[in-house]
Amino acid sequence: IAGITQAPTSQILAAGRRMTLRCTQDMRHNAMYWYRQDLGLGLRLIHYSNTAGTTGKGEVPDGYSVSRANTDDFPLTLASAVPSQTSVYFCASSDGGENTEAFFGQGTRLTVV
Amino acid sequence: GQNIDQPTEMTATEGAIVQINCTYQTSGFNGLFWYQQHAGEAPTFLSYNVLDGLEEKGRFSSFLSRSKGYSYLLLKELQMKDSASYLCAVRDSNYQLIWGAGTKLIIKP
């Protein structure tokens, strides 16, 4: 693994189903983030974690949950998918310093039907 | 509320110069980032400004004026591979990134 990896790359999901998007990084970054990106809108923060064992809500957390059991992994779960959750999901990480950028995974394209 | 404004789309010619503007209104300011995102790919970091002035990095430069809530990204000697979306993001008082919707840059031969 090099950098930050997301799985799956894409998924078609029936409404009402449960789904976990996986995110793993090998850069030992403290902070991790989940964003969704929709056409015409900026990246919107769903949940974040500043360090292992802690999580926080972002701008659009409803319908999503996260956990951060260790430094490397930050899964995002949709408990009961709805069509409005159709989006491209990006996981990102940073070491949390003043001027450090976020590194992004390649994204998961999720379609809820 | 917090707001980042960028033009939706711009067109420029290969070899030319283009300036992409970003204005922001956020609760606090702890730095401004520019990212490049090719279609279907992840955003990648281009530049960071926290103090007023110009930061130059090869063909790309980024400018910040905190008093005006304004930044621009300047791309010189445009190449076809520069066709992408350019995202402006501001880190607010909570150290969270607030993102603009991005500017789609189309380069024509």
Side-chain angles (χ1 to χ4, degrees):
Chain A
I1 297 177
I4 183 164
T5 303
Q6 293 182 231
T9 304
S10 65
Q11 181 75 45
I12 298 174
L13 186 68
R17 296 296 295 269
R18 180 185 180 90
M19 172 80 189
T20 294
L21 308 185
R22 300 183 298 279
C23 176
T24 299
Q25 54 106 357
D26 64 356
M27 297 175 283
R28 308 303 294 171
H29 284 168
N30 285 320
M32 296 187 75
Y33 314 88
W34 274 106
Y35 292 95
R36 60 178 290 173
Q37 187 174 41
D38 302 290
L39 196 63
L41 299 176
L43 288 161
R44 292 184 291 169
L45 183 65
I46 304 170
H47 285 286
Y48 65 93
S49 169
N50 288 330
T51 188
T54 69
T55 62
K57 293 181 179 180
E59 179 185 355
V60 289
D62 294 344
Y64 306 95
S65 64
V66 292
S67 61
R68 187 85 184 278
N70 56 61
T71 297
D72 298 345
D73 301 300
F74 191 45
L76 176 74
T77 297
L78 289 69
S80 179
V82 295
S84 62
Q85 291 178 311
T86 293
S87 188
V88 180
Y89 291 85
F90 285 102
C91 180
S93 71
S94 72
D95 71 8
E98 280 288 319
N99 64 342
T100 56
E101 72 269 29
F103 293 82
F104 285 79
Q106 76 274 30
T108 295
R109 184 173 296 275
L110 181 67
T111 303
V112 182
V113 297
Chain B
Q2 308 202 88
N3 197 47
I4 310 284
D5 285 320
Q6 309 177 230
T8 302
E9 186 174 296
M10 298 181 70
T11 302
T13 304
E14 190 177 14
I17 298 173
V18 70
Q19 177 175 310
I20 302 174
N21 295 326
C22 171
T23 58
Y24 62 89
Q25 291 177 307
T26 56
S27 54
F29 178 85
N30 285 294
L32 185 143
F33 295 80
W34 283 96
Y35 281 75
Q36 181 189 60
Q37 185 178 24
H38 285 100
E41 298 183 7
T44 56
F45 170 77
L46 286 178
S47 69
Y48 170 77
N49 295 71
V50 67
L51 299 176
D52 289 352
L54 189 68
E55 294 281 342
E56 297 185 80
K57 190 184 292 186
R59 293 189 299 115
F60 292 6
S61 303
S62 57
F63 171 83
L64 174 67
S65 169
R66 289 172 296 170
S67 62
K68 296 182 179 178
Y70 167 71
S71 173
Y72 67 72
L73 181 69
L74 191 72
L75 292 75
K76 303 176 185 176
E77 301 170 14
L78 286 170
Q79 302 175 10
M80 297 304 293
K81 67 179 182 180
D82 297 331
S83 292
S85 289
Y86 292 86
L87 314 181
C88 174
V90 172
R91 190 159 55 194
D92 68 9
S93 56
N94 294 319
Y95 277 78
Q96 295 298 341
L97 284 174
I98 310 301
W99 295 82
T103 298
K104 182 178 181 180
L105 178 63
I106 299 168
I107 310 296
K108 294 186 175 180

